[in-house]
Amino acid sequence: MAKKTAPTSSAQKATSVTIHDQQMQRGPGGELHQFAEGDTPVLTTAQGGPVADDQNSLRVGARGPLVVDDFHFREKMFHFDHERIPERVVHARGYGAHGYFETYESLAQYTRADLFQRPGEKTPAFVRFSTVAGNKGSADLARDVRGFAVKIYTQEGNWDLVGNNIPVFFIQDAIKFPDLIHAAKQEPDRAFPQAQTAHDNFWDFISLTPESMNMVMWIMSDRTIPRSLRFMEGFGVHTFRLINAKDESTFVKFHWKPKLGLQSVAWNEAVKINGADPDFHRRDLWNAIQSGNFPEWELQLQLFDQEFADSFDFDVLDPTKIIPEEVLKPVPVGRLVLDRMPDNFFTETEQVAFMTQNVPPGIDFSNDPLLQGRNFSYLDTQLKRLGGPNFTHLPINAPKCPMHNFQQDGHMAMRNPVGRTNYQPNSHGEGPRESPTRGYRHFPAEEQGTKARLRPESFADHYSQARQFYISQTGAEQRHIASALTFELSKVEMPVIRERMVSHLLNIDETLAATVAQKLGIKPMPKPADAAMPTRQDLDPSPALSIAGRGPKRFEGRKLGILVTDGVDAKLLKGLTDAILKEKGVVELIAPKVGGVEASDGKLIEAQHMIDGGPSVLFDAVALLTSTAGIEDLVDEAAARDFVADAFQHCKFIGYDPSATPLLAKAGLADALDEGLIELPGEAGLSAFVAELGKLRIWGREPSVKLGKASPPVN
Ligand code: HDE
């Protein structure tokens, strides 16, 4: 038996690796693999040639020039030089996961879409969440709309529902999209700010675009700073059509409702999370799925006919409007479960190509001008990003149902029709043919009118739903909107833009306008903006629009951070950990040293974070399980004080062992009498604490801690 030689180390001169027959094994496809050592496969070039030395380039003499014979070096470098593809022009930063969609009951009455026919059927899906404005490397907790793009691989073709976590949009006509995005992204001369709308260009465009006012209320609310991608709603935004086997149409709006409820962070917290963990959202999704806690959303449909559309307060084709859930109740029809992370981020999440025009038979478009414009745009963007027309050959984009057509060739063609016939009709009777019965049939809508550049009058009310959104929020949520507006506009240099925004706010809510104006120092109050239509005062609040109203009321899927020191009461720590796990929550320990602490029973307990690296912003609630001896070292640590002070100002529940009192005092909380500060030892303390955690936050505390200078007065 021949001996093999170990591969060279970087320090060594090149020596050859002997490949013996017995080191070759067959892979699943029958292909031969060479093995260098044990199970280690032999490194090869892209051509499959085995590589002897990947540490040293080929040269003449030890200190001589490199030579062009080195095809391995040339190929490796060539490939590296071409690793980047253009990032998405919008939604560049994103994170995806695989899963499935499961249908509850047959929807045959409304749609012939194959995935909705059979109860309990599971259809594979891929979801990509994203921010909009930031570049690929920007931080996760930017104040921004989140993309919620779902690709469902149905048996009759891929369905892409390319939605957002907000059900309305900024503009009514796709022709304004390039302007909106130019204004939102970094300003072109200075290339900042990154992933922020807090700058002149954005608010200049917005203040000159009254149709965006409803969306402005949504983006200034906590919806744009979600705690987790798992705690967000998703919306198809536009009105679509469902078409049944009799070619009858029902209008539909698509909603994804998170099983774990809605939750957002405080703005001051978002800013700190971006520093402490810029990958906060992707890490959270990764950890949840890898630990078997699969996030889940229910698909709910708002279904309506032409009669409802004609009688509704607003035009259902206007994407700056919602149909309140209290007016038209969404019907649950299935669930989306994410249960597998991609094997490779680039291959799947980066190369996935969503296109609004990907609809299977049974789902059709409405005349929403934004949707129609999108149907035109997405194909172009994929060509630019993925470099050729064959991006549907990539496994992440390829349908998972049989497919046949005569499209051929082009860059990177990975499959071509086989045989002589690559056209139809043909005399050979070969190849696929169209099917009028099974094929996609567009809804035969009657259309007529004069060709012109128009905006319908029915799109003219820009303030009524903005007001409705605002009055549907809790007091805390309203304060957050005022703070967000004040913060963003405080970054705007041109006073005229700030004043113009206040003029718009006057058409939405006078108190809101007055609060923002006062905080910005605007005097005297400007006049309300000219409005094409007066703001309706008769729209009822819609409780479904409040995040607080949609909280989970339980701690499931949330994270408790426990600050521990040497001497931590082992029984208390175990009791608390068990109670949280029972609630299906997660516990992470923060200690002065990441190596851990010695508990009261002498056992070593490892921590996940060192105090500097595990600030309380990373957790939904915190507990301080210290000992009298252990607390001494912590009291003077700025990171420990911030841990407690931040948890308090971000309105989190804080459970504490009495030995932590000096630290509470250092954080300025000695006299804080608050239902959210709970002393822990004893069964009663523990269960009271865990029971309270389901409330997630005590927003009522906020006015007393005054988050940042921009906080408006409590009203
Ligand atoms: Fe997009 N949008 N969009 N958009 N959009 C893109 O396609 C566009 C709009 C949305 O995770 C691009 O592949 C136009 C609304 C998501 O890969 C591009 C208009 C909504 C994603 C594009 C809109 C969205 C995109 C850029 C105005 C919510 C990320 C990269 C009519 C309903 C998908 C790409 C992913 C991506 C065009 C407006 C959602 C350029 C022209 C409204 C979630 O084609």
Side-chain angles (χ1 to χ4, degrees):
M1 204 169 142
K3 273 197 178 162
K4 66 177 186 265
T5 317
T8 57
S9 80
S10 56
Q12 286 172 321
K13 273 201 305 183
T15 53
S16 64
V17 177
T18 311
I19 308 294
H20 188 266
D21 278 351
Q22 286 173 341
Q23 287 165 248
M24 316 249 317
Q25 288 174 15
R26 288 199 182 275
E31 73 282 6
L32 277 173
H33 290 287
Q34 301 169 350
F35 287 85
E37 182 111 49
D39 289 339
T40 309
V42 169
L43 181 76
T44 68
T45 64
Q47 307 294 336
V51 173
D53 182 352
D54 190 39
Q55 320 299 332
N56 306 295
S57 45
L58 191 65
R59 69 194 68 190
V60 182
R63 301 179 60 247
L66 307 192
V67 294
V68 290
D69 287 16
D70 195 348
F71 54 82
H72 169 52
F73 170 80
R74 159 86 171 122
E75 181 201 82
K76 183 176 178 181
M77 213 41 92
F78 151 82
H79 200 276
F80 171 73
D81 289 342
H82 295 91
E83 276 179 7
R84 292 290 168 272
I85 62 172
E87 66 173 35
R88 288 163 174 81
V89 61
V90 280
H91 297 266
R93 181 162 178 87
Y95 208 53
H98 294 274
Y100 59 86
F101 176 77
E102 184 177 354
T103 300
Y104 290 161
E105 301 292 339
S106 167
L107 291 181
Q109 179 192 353
Y110 298 108
T111 175
R112 57 184 277 230
D114 184 71
L115 82 158
F116 289 127
Q117 302 306 304
R118 294 162 295 276
E121 178 158 319
K122 292 181 178 171
T123 310
F126 184 81
V127 177
R128 184 175 179 275
F129 302 105
S130 47
T131 53
V132 179
N135 292 351
K136 225 180 135 203
S138 53
D140 277 351
L141 263 158
R143 177 181 289 284
D144 202 351
V145 184
R146 297 302 184 287
F148 194 126
V150 185
K151 190 184 278 294
I152 306 186
Y153 302 88
T154 90
Q155 283 307 302
E156 290 189 336
N158 293 347
W159 175 32
D160 292 355
L161 185 58
V162 198
N164 279 345
N165 74 331
I166 287 179
V168 291
F169 203 62
F170 295 95
I171 47 171
Q172 295 173 324
D173 189 317
I175 200 167
K176 296 310 296 167
F177 192 64
D179 298 287
L180 167 72
I181 299 304
H182 287 178
K185 294 195 88 142
Q186 308 111 288
E187 299 191 1
D189 52 355
R190 60 211 68 189
F192 59 78
Q194 173 61 237
Q196 287 186 39
T197 51
H199 60 109
D200 282 58
N201 282 10
F202 179 74
W203 287 103
D204 187 23
F205 176 81
I206 288 295
S207 65
L208 294 168
T209 309
E211 72 208 54
S212 66
M213 289 308 143
N214 192 14
M215 183 72 167
V216 165
M217 289 295 105
W218 283 83
I219 59 168
M220 292 295 104
S221 81
D222 297 344
R223 295 259 174 177
T224 41
I225 38 174
R227 176 81 199 162
S228 157
L229 303 169
R230 301 175 293 137
F231 309 153
M232 308 187 312
E233 291 180 318
F235 302 93
V237 175
H238 316 279
T239 296
F240 290 81
R241 288 177 188 274
L242 294 181
I243 312 291
N244 68 14
K246 290 189 232 155
D247 287 341
E248 293 161 340
S249 156
T250 306
F251 288 120
V252 62
K253 277 182 175 279
F254 297 104
H255 304 249
W256 297 107
K257 302 287 178 183
K259 189 178 158 203
L260 294 175
L262 287 176
Q263 190 187 343
S264 287
V265 299
W267 171 243
N268 178 279
E269 192 183 4
V271 171
K272 290 173 178 165
I273 290 175
N274 282 338
D277 184 4
D279 304 305
F280 187 71
H281 281 156
R282 50 173 71 181
R283 191 189 305 280
D284 170 84
L285 191 66
W286 171 272
N287 286 344
I289 294 180
Q290 297 300 67
S291 62
N293 294 314
F294 302 139
E296 190 175 321
W297 286 260
E298 186 163 71
L299 179 63
Q300 299 188 357
L301 308 182
Q302 282 183 308
L303 295 161
F304 56 99
D305 55 15
Q306 189 64 53
E307 203 184 326
F308 174 92
D310 293 341
S311 64
F312 179 56
D313 293 322
F314 302 95
D315 195 329
V316 298
L317 301 184
D318 176 354
T320 67
K321 306 294 186 305
I322 55 160
I323 304 175
E325 295 187 14
E326 292 78 6
V327 174
L328 183 61
K329 197 171 159 24
V331 190
V333 298
R335 65 184 191 128
L336 172 74
V337 179
L338 298 182
D339 60 1
R340 183 166 62 87
M341 291 311 297
D343 292 330
N344 182 271
F345 176 84
F346 184 89
T347 317
E348 294 153 85
T349 309
E350 192 58 19
Q351 293 197 118
V352 65
F354 291 96
M355 297 190 289
T356 50
Q357 67 271 36
N358 284 354
V359 284
I363 299 176
D364 205 339
F365 312 112
S366 72
N367 284 350
D368 176 339
L370 203 66
L371 176 58
Q372 305 247 327
R374 294 178 73 198
N375 288 344
F376 185 80
S377 164
Y378 284 66
L379 193 55
D380 278 337
T381 213
Q382 308 314 347
L383 183 66
K384 173 72 186 167
R385 268 187 352 99
L386 299 168
N390 288 322
F391 60 85
T392 54
H393 295 198
L394 297 170
I396 191 69
N397 295 322
K400 295 190 196 297
C401 59
M403 50 145 314
H404 314 273
N405 60 39
F406 294 112
Q407 294 172 17
Q408 67 170 30
D409 302 354
H411 286 292
M412 315 291 164
M414 274 175 269
R415 50 161 201 259
N416 260 359
V418 196
R420 181 177 184 184
T421 322
N422 56 358
Y423 55 90
Q424 60 99 351
N426 65 63
S427 311
H428 307 288
E430 281 181 359
R433 291 303 301 262
E434 65 268 36
S435 161
T437 50
R438 290 204 45 212
Y440 189 95
R441 294 193 301 276
H442 293 267
F443 180 67
E446 303 254 337
E447 307 289 0
Q448 60 170 6
T450 311
K451 187 158 87 181
R453 292 187 182 275
L454 289 174
R455 193 69 68 96
E457 267 182 45
S458 53
F459 282 27
D461 180 342
H462 301 319
Y463 299 104
S464 299
Q465 278 207 350
R467 174 184 173 277
Q468 184 178 35
F469 179 83
Y470 183 73
I471 61 169
S472 303
Q473 307 301 306
T474 63
E477 289 171 328
Q478 288 187 344
R479 287 197 298 276
H480 294 174
I481 292 175
S483 296
L485 278 162
T486 312
F487 170 81
E488 297 257 326
L489 293 172
S490 74
K491 300 280 179 183
V492 169
E493 290 164 11
M494 287 170 66
V496 61
I497 300 175
R498 300 200 287 256
E499 279 161 28
R500 212 187 285 136
M501 271 316 299
V502 171
S503 305
H504 288 299
L505 297 180
L506 279 166
N507 288 340
I508 297 171
D509 185 274
E510 281 183 18
T511 316
L512 172 66
T515 308
V516 174
Q518 190 244 324
K519 286 284 164 190
L520 291 172
I522 293 177
K523 274 194 266 178
M525 269 304 254
K527 283 212 275 306
D530 288 341
M533 297 193 48
T535 311
R536 287 177 55 167
Q537 305 295 316
D538 61 335
L539 300 180
D540 292 332
S542 161
L545 300 180
S546 154
I547 295 179
R550 298 230 136 166
K553 305 196 173 48
R554 58 187 199 280
F555 201 64
E556 182 178 351
R558 271 71 180 176
K559 202 185 275 183
L560 178 72
I562 308 182
L563 179 61
V564 288
T565 62
D566 282 336
V568 48
D569 180 340
K571 210 168 137 219
L572 181 61
L573 178 59
K574 181 164 182 338
L576 183 55
T577 306
D578 289 350
I580 295 297
L581 296 182
K582 203 166 145 222
E583 296 290 312
K584 298 195 188 147
V586 174
V587 169
E588 284 182 8
L589 301 188
I590 306 101
K593 297 186 192 103
V594 73
V597 293
E598 194 180 317
S600 58
D601 59 2
K603 287 208 184 107
L604 184 75
I605 300 173
E606 271 188 39
Q608 282 78 35
H609 306 271
M610 186 185 150
I611 180 77
D612 287 322
S616 60
V617 292
L618 302 182
F619 310 102
D620 295 288
V622 299
L624 314 173
L625 299 194
T626 50
S627 68
T628 312
I631 199 73
E632 274 174 25
D633 292 340
L634 271 187
V635 162
D636 293 325
E637 285 239 19
R641 287 200 313 266
D642 287 352
F643 186 91
V644 177
D646 275 350
F648 188 79
Q649 73 152 326
H650 299 145
C651 302
K652 290 175 186 171
F653 286 91
I654 304 174
Y656 65 96
D657 180 279
S659 61
T661 312
L663 183 58
L664 291 173
K666 271 278 167 139
L669 305 180
D671 305 321
L673 279 179
D674 187 311
E675 64 196 288
L677 274 170
I678 300 174
E679 199 176 302
L680 282 180
E683 288 285 305
L686 203 70
S687 52
F689 180 60
V690 176
E692 287 296 278
L693 290 184
K695 294 182 191 160
L696 302 181
R697 304 274 173 138
I698 319 139
W699 289 122
R701 179 196 286 161
E702 207 169 36
S704 64
V705 285
K706 291 235 167 72
L707 283 182
K709 286 199 178 119
S711 276
V714 188
N715 50 35

